[in-house]
Amino acid sequence: MTATQGQKKILKTEIELFITNKVKELRKANNIGQKKLSLELRLSISFVGRAENPYSKAKYNHNHLNEIARFFNVPFSYFFPETHLEKDCIEEYLEIHPKLKANYEKMMKKHEEKALKKLEEEERKKKEKAAAKKKATSKKK
């Protein structure tokens, strides 16, 4: 867990928290404990507790959600908002995970450098072609 000014840092994005809360509401409405749901998902007995903890990295994946939907007999879409969230969850995810953000930025820098080199190479070839054309034209005269 990461500490921020003496407080714990939430390690889930808004959409991850939304999904987690939908599972938790469903679990509580059906009077199912965390341990029971963990066992139904064939996971460690503490998984659901960790998934419900906003300061834990543990989260449900699509396979888990499908099994939870089957277990509670609800549609898969039950776990998602009716429309998209306004928050940029990718940016939020990268802020929560600085190493991934650094890797992404490094990758983008390489991509931009490669694109710039390609553009420069194309410009160089155009100039060479124009110079060769000009030279050929001047020889004809």
Side-chain angles (χ1 to χ4, degrees):
M1 286 183 229
T2 307
T4 307
Q5 296 174 341
Q7 295 179 349
K8 290 180 181 179
K9 180 180 176 185
I10 292 178
L11 298 176
K12 292 181 174 62
T13 64
E14 187 175 334
I15 191 66
E16 292 166 342
L17 291 169
F18 182 92
I19 292 167
T20 299
N21 287 332
K22 292 297 279 186
V23 173
K24 187 176 182 177
E25 288 170 13
L26 190 58
R27 183 180 62 71
K28 287 187 171 190
N30 286 278
N31 203 26
I32 301 292
Q34 293 176 340
K35 181 179 176 180
K36 168 99 171 120
L37 184 56
S38 290
L39 293 172
E40 285 295 329
L41 295 172
R42 289 162 275 177
L43 299 167
S44 70
I45 59 174
S46 64
F47 180 82
V48 171
R50 290 191 328 272
E52 290 181 3
N53 180 348
Y55 307 108
S56 168
K57 290 181 182 180
K59 57 191 100 173
Y60 300 110
N61 66 31
H62 291 94
N63 298 310
H64 299 145
L65 294 177
N66 187 66
E67 289 308 306
I68 294 167
R70 284 171 27 110
F71 180 74
F72 290 110
N73 196 28
V74 297
F76 189 78
S77 61
Y78 174 87
F79 304 107
F80 299 93
E82 288 185 32
T83 63
H84 66 277
L85 300 177
E86 290 301 319
K87 190 161 199 165
D88 181 342
C89 292
I90 300 295
E91 185 61 35
E92 183 182 19
Y93 185 83
L94 292 174
E95 290 300 321
I96 291 169
H97 304 283
K99 286 182 182 177
L100 289 175
K101 185 175 184 174
N103 287 343
Y104 169 75
E105 289 171 348
K106 186 177 176 181
M107 177 194 67
M108 287 306 296
K109 186 177 179 183
K110 281 183 181 180
H111 175 72
E112 288 168 359
E113 288 170 354
K114 187 176 178 181
L116 184 59
K117 282 181 183 179
K118 184 178 179 182
L119 190 60
E120 288 170 350
E121 180 65 19
E122 288 171 359
E123 286 296 318
R124 185 188 61 75
K125 285 181 181 179
K126 280 183 186 178
K127 286 179 182 177
E128 286 176 358
K129 191 174 181 180
K133 189 176 181 181
K134 188 175 180 180
K135 188 176 181 180
T137 307
S138 65
K139 283 186 177 182
K140 286 183 180 179
K141 292 182 181 181

